Amino acid sequence: MAVDAIEAPPALKARLNKLGLKRGSDLVLHLPLRYEDETRVTAIAAAGNDGPVQLEVVVREVSVQFRPRRQLLARVADDSGEMTLRFLNFYGSQTRQFERAREERQKLRVFGEIRPGFLGDEMVHPRYRLLREGESLPESLTPVYPTTAGVSQAVLRKHIAAALAKADLSELLEEAWRRERGFPPFDGAVRLLHAPPPGVPESALQSREHPAWRRIKFDELLAQQLSLRRAYLSRRQRGAPRIAPAGALFRRLRESLPFALTAAQRRVAAEIVDDLAQPYPMQRLLQGDVGSGKTIVAALAACQAIEAGYQAAFMAPTEILAEQHYLKLCAWLQPLGVEVAWLSGSQKRAAKRAAQQQVANSAQLVVGTHALIQERVDFARLGLIIVDEQHRFGVAQRLELRRKGGKGAEPPHQLMMSATPIPRTLAMSYYADLDVSVLDELPPGRLPVRTRLVSDARRDEVIERIRGAVDAGRQAYWVCPLIEESEKLQLQTALDTHALLSRELAGLRVGLVHGRLKAEEKAATMASFVAGEIDVLVATTVVEVGVDVPNASLMVIEHAERFGLAQLHQLRGRVGRGRETSVCVLLYQQPLSMTARERLKIIFENSDGFEIARQDLRLRGPGEFVGSRQSGLPLLRYADLEADADLIEPAREMAERLLREAPGRAARHLARWMGSREELLKA
Ligand code: ADP
Ligand code: MG
């Protein structure tokens, strides 16, 4: 490791550290954000406002002004025109330097973007340099690196050059394979990207389509795949209870259902049956669009564990959802003689203690919120954990659950479920440490939800529409606006809306749920809504996930422009569960921002969650998309899952092959890319 250390004074080292640059090889892979073209000089008169330009100018006038704040202004000119350079932070020495340049008529090279300003065209904080007599223009593009305060481009360039001279840039891919793919060698690729020789087309560098970029992006994806696959394989080394394939209980549950399983549900159930019979822990992610019927698949898996004498735990992210699951699972399983326990954070102390006792002894299925992973909960014989809406849990919480196998026992099998469909490319990259099953079919007879975009100005009509729906024997949701800045404001809006609707819809039963209610209150309200004792449920986003009330066929979402795509899709998925055609009204307020407009258009035009997720990925990029999961996971810096989708599959294949055939090279590749970061994944 020491040979790879960065040689720099401690203060600089600390700053480089902040950029994630700890070793020479980190510097080698610290690639330019973009390039600047200093190979040409533009005349002031010919320079436009789009993109940076390089000028060669003399100084006409220098002044320090104090309004509106202290600033240095230099009036500069070339043969074609004049303009102003403006510096808001500057040293006295800079002022003197400009003055001397003026007196001696010395030329400056200035690089920056021209903007129309108060005094005509100007550049704010341009990069500039005094020109030596007869100095020629650089022949190649200038790299611009991502950096932080106190680390200049020049310093980065110097240290990167030093690292390039010393670091191990040896090739880790097979020669023939590499050539076949059209990838340049690793050392050639990094050298070219740090210092593009003359003649390399700027556009291919900026757009990152140049073969050198493709090579680097492939390597990055390969490192990601290696690290995730390695984590996957190492978890596989651990033993897990072998749970024999399903028998009587499984069949009895299936036969007691009022519906037949879809082909997709049967296929996924069979995959899980297989997984559970293995002597190592299942690590499966079950993805299925809203309403695709994941719960029953999970219940069938639980039956298999229970029959084999193990406990199953079913964890959901909110009280409302956990409670719904509890009721549903009780209805399905208690008649078959299964003991179901309930555990939630809001339980009274005595009830909780009793539940903990039950978990430690006789309970066969335990349903609850993340109270399930608390210290005090000791399972007697946990064989399977099911995590619903897994994207709502942090990585840490899921890891905690994994440790719950019981004292000294083997880790349990894990089934994670998500209704936030993850586009294939994202699944293949960020979820490479899981096996993924997809429910790609909705139960038959579902009618598509009609989506209406309605301006807030027509709210009265919408309220009338609710009355119509209730008169026809249906129920409705009214979702209050998301106010991210203030929970208090959000609560207030919910109370106001409830008051307003109670007034406007006199004679109808209007209920209210929001996050501040006690769990029992929430549960009681939801139970009344399920029982049809409430006509209109005013709710904050607590109803977002999982809630299932088939008779509700109208949903109004206020300030729909404030919600994200995934959230809108989830909310809309609360209706369209019964036999009637459902309507989702998206109330929006003008003016709409560009992205809000785009989001609403996407949700209006699409009903398929996968397509919506794909569009979401395009709008937001993967960083936000993977949400909590990304904590502790290396994000991609160079590869773009959309633009470089064609590299993911080969990277995945290569990762498998290297791990199998050349573990030494796999380790070196990982070390090159991940360094110390890889430890994070071990958990
Ligand atoms: P999600 O995948 O969103 O969690 P749920 O498991 O809540 O979906 O199922 C949605 C609804 O569809 C529930 O009322 C469930 O009982 C019902 N359901 C599940 N599978 C089928 C099926 N094969 N045929 C008909 N209805 C089904
Ligand atoms: Mg669900």
Side-chain angles (χ1 to χ4, degrees):
M1 266 296 116
V3 283
D4 199 18
I6 297 176
E7 274 166 42
L12 176 59
K13 256 193 185 163
R15 282 184 224 127
L16 291 175
N17 246 317
K18 261 198 357 210
L19 288 167
L21 304 174
K22 299 190 174 143
R23 317 162 302 156
S25 42
D26 297 333
L27 282 166
V28 168
L29 290 171
H30 193 64
L31 293 169
L33 214 48
R34 58 193 169 84
Y35 298 86
E36 283 177 352
D37 187 356
E38 294 176 302
T39 63
R40 284 176 298 166
V41 169
T42 309
I44 291 182
N49 285 348
D50 44 63
V53 289
Q54 178 165 249
L55 310 173
E56 219 166 87
V57 294
V58 290
V59 181
R60 285 273 162 81
E61 222 178 286
V62 185
S63 63
V64 174
Q65 298 192 352
F66 290 90
R67 248 170 252 162
R69 53 185 270 214
R70 187 166 171 271
Q71 50 187 300
L72 168 62
L73 297 177
R75 193 76 191 151
V76 297
D78 65 9
D79 293 340
S80 73
E82 283 195 13
M83 65 174 307
T84 303
L85 310 182
R86 186 191 294 275
F87 299 86
L88 298 167
N89 302 302
F90 62 98
Y91 299 107
S93 58
Q94 266 174 297
T95 316
R96 287 193 295 282
Q97 195 182 32
F98 274 109
E99 268 162 3
R100 205 169 327 115
R102 180 175 57 84
E103 285 157 16
E104 296 173 7
R105 300 199 57 76
Q106 197 179 2
K107 279 194 171 167
L108 293 175
R109 241 176 230 159
V110 183
F111 192 95
E113 283 190 55
I114 299 182
R115 299 196 312 210
F118 189 59
L119 304 168
D121 280 348
E122 64 175 27
M123 275 189 189
V124 180
H125 284 220
R127 203 168 67 231
Y128 69 93
R129 207 156 58 73
L130 289 176
L131 210 53
R132 286 187 305 272
E133 198 62 46
E135 186 174 335
S136 59
L137 289 164
E139 285 187 347
S140 56
L141 299 173
T142 312
V144 180
Y145 295 103
T147 190
T148 180
V151 184
S152 70
Q153 292 293 327
V155 164
L156 270 175
R157 254 174 245 152
K158 185 181 114 194
H159 282 89
I160 288 170
L164 279 171
K166 274 200 329 199
D168 168 18
L169 305 180
S170 55
E171 184 56 54
L172 296 174
L173 297 181
E174 282 156 35
E175 202 56 28
W177 188 89
R178 175 180 75 65
R179 280 174 197 278
E180 195 184 309
R181 292 265 156 188
F183 290 137
F186 178 71
D187 72 334
V190 285
R191 286 185 201 284
L192 183 141
L193 293 176
H194 283 297
V200 173
E202 188 187 347
S203 62
L205 288 177
Q206 304 283 26
S207 69
R208 305 197 166 180
E209 279 156 16
H210 191 279
W213 270 124
R214 298 269 296 167
R215 167 66 203 259
I216 292 304
K217 296 196 269 194
F218 174 81
D219 278 21
E220 180 180 44
L221 288 166
L222 176 61
Q224 186 194 43
Q225 292 292 323
L226 281 171
S227 116
L228 289 167
R229 288 312 283 178
R230 209 162 72 161
Y232 174 86
L233 292 172
S234 89
R235 291 203 295 267
R236 245 189 193 214
Q237 299 300 309
R238 291 175 215 162
R242 250 192 146 128
I243 296 178
L249 185 60
F250 185 99
R251 268 196 303 281
R252 278 166 61 210
L253 172 57
R254 215 181 48 202
E255 281 156 14
S256 73
L257 295 173
F259 50 76
L261 297 181
T262 63
Q265 284 171 319
R266 285 200 304 273
R267 173 173 43 78
V268 173
E271 283 168 352
I272 296 171
V273 165
D274 267 2
D275 280 356
L276 293 177
Q278 304 305 318
Y280 47 81
M282 167 166 79
Q283 315 172 52
R284 188 167 289 279
L285 174 67
L286 168 52
Q287 282 187 255
D289 206 345
V290 178
S292 58
K294 294 182 289 295
T295 320
I296 185 64
V297 174
L300 288 165
C303 282
Q304 188 176 343
I306 292 165
E307 270 191 297
Y310 290 95
Q311 292 173 304
F314 195 129
M315 180 164 92
T318 67
E319 293 260 349
I320 288 189
L321 184 55
E323 171 107 14
Q324 279 226 339
H325 281 320
Y326 175 66
L327 295 174
K328 189 165 243 175
L329 291 164
C330 283
W332 279 335
L333 293 169
Q334 273 174 346
L336 307 180
V338 174
E339 182 181 339
V340 188
W342 165 247
L343 198 72
S344 91
S346 64
Q347 264 168 322
K348 296 249 163 56
R349 201 190 302 200
K352 193 181 279 176
R353 200 167 308 140
Q356 285 163 350
Q357 280 292 324
Q358 212 184 344
V359 173
N361 296 300
S362 55
Q364 292 170 293
L365 175 62
V366 187
V367 185
T369 57
H370 33 265
L372 283 181
I373 50 179
Q374 276 158 5
E375 283 303 314
R376 300 269 191 73
V377 185
D378 286 315
F379 288 87
R381 260 193 109 197
L382 185 58
L384 167 66
I385 57 187
I386 298 158
V387 183
D388 196 19
E389 309 292 347
Q390 66 88 27
H391 57 284
R392 288 301 206 84
F393 290 98
V395 176
Q397 285 170 312
R398 289 210 315 273
L399 294 177
E400 194 60 40
L401 199 47
R402 205 178 267 160
R403 277 183 219 117
K404 278 281 170 194
K407 297 171 210 85
E410 293 170 313
H413 296 278
Q414 273 197 77
L415 177 63
M416 286 162 277
M417 305 200 285
S418 174
T420 301
I422 300 149
R424 203 175 105 81
T425 51
L426 196 56
M428 277 194 347
S429 84
Y430 285 94
Y431 291 82
D433 63 334
L434 299 173
D435 297 310
V436 180
S437 298
V438 181
L439 284 180
D440 50 5
E441 182 184 357
L442 291 179
R446 291 276 164 80
L447 295 166
V449 177
R450 298 215 177 112
T451 302
R452 301 264 179 272
L453 289 172
V454 180
S455 156
D456 196 52
R458 291 169 53 201
R459 164 194 292 252
D460 289 348
E461 289 167 44
V462 174
I463 295 178
E464 271 321 296
R465 188 160 195 162
I466 292 187
R467 192 180 282 285
V470 174
D471 286 346
R474 323 238 53 100
Q475 291 164 280
Y477 293 99
W478 184 291
V479 179
C480 294
L482 178 72
I483 303 174
E484 279 179 344
E485 306 78 45
S486 160
E487 202 190 329
K488 218 161 139 193
L489 215 55
Q490 167 139 352
L491 176 63
Q492 193 51 50
T493 325
L495 296 173
D496 292 348
T497 308
H498 179 248
L500 176 96
L501 289 180
S502 302
R503 208 164 51 236
E504 302 271 316
L505 293 171
L508 304 195
R509 297 160 300 179
V510 183
L512 173 65
V513 285
H514 55 73
R516 283 293 186 80
L517 289 180
K518 290 216 185 72
E520 304 99 282
E521 296 170 322
K522 265 190 256 181
T525 308
M526 286 313 292
S528 315
F529 191 56
V530 172
E533 295 154 12
I534 289 177
D535 301 312
V536 184
L537 185 64
V538 176
T540 55
T541 48
V542 292
V543 297
E544 182 192 339
V545 289
V547 174
D548 185 30
V549 182
N551 191 47
S553 66
L554 176 60
M555 163 157 294
V556 180
I557 303 176
E558 245 192 292
H559 276 293
E561 77 279 359
R562 292 190 191 165
F563 290 88
L565 272 175
Q567 235 173 350
L568 287 173
H569 180 63
Q570 279 278 341
L571 282 168
R572 183 172 58 181
R574 297 309 112 218
V575 292
R577 300 181 158 242
R579 301 239 162 270
E580 303 299 312
T581 301
S582 295
V583 175
C584 177
V585 177
L586 303 176
L587 274 179
Y588 63 89
Q589 193 143 50
Q590 301 275 21
L592 289 174
S593 71
M594 282 286 278
T595 47
R597 186 182 300 270
E598 189 151 7
R599 278 201 304 268
L600 292 179
K601 181 166 179 286
I602 292 169
I603 203 80
F604 178 71
E605 288 176 353
N606 295 282
S607 58
D608 174 10
F610 278 85
E611 181 54 26
I612 291 170
R614 220 181 54 76
Q615 305 262 10
D616 203 13
L617 178 64
R618 185 175 58 77
L619 276 186
R620 293 195 298 161
E624 270 188 74
F625 201 94
V626 288
S628 55
R629 187 179 162 82
Q630 84 188 45
S631 49
L633 273 183
L635 275 179
L636 295 169
R637 286 183 284 165
Y638 305 122
D640 176 301
L641 293 181
E642 185 99 346
D644 306 311
D646 62 317
L647 294 178
I648 300 174
E649 193 90 57
R652 189 184 176 111
E653 281 162 19
M654 181 52 74
E656 308 247 338
R657 204 162 104 199
L658 284 181
L659 286 173
R660 214 172 39 235
E661 295 168 11
R665 264 191 293 143
R668 280 171 64 201
H669 187 88
L670 271 173
R672 176 177 280 170
W673 275 89
M674 303 279 182
S676 44
R677 268 178 300 170
E678 223 239 328
E679 288 306 308
L680 289 168
L681 271 173
K682 294 274 170 61

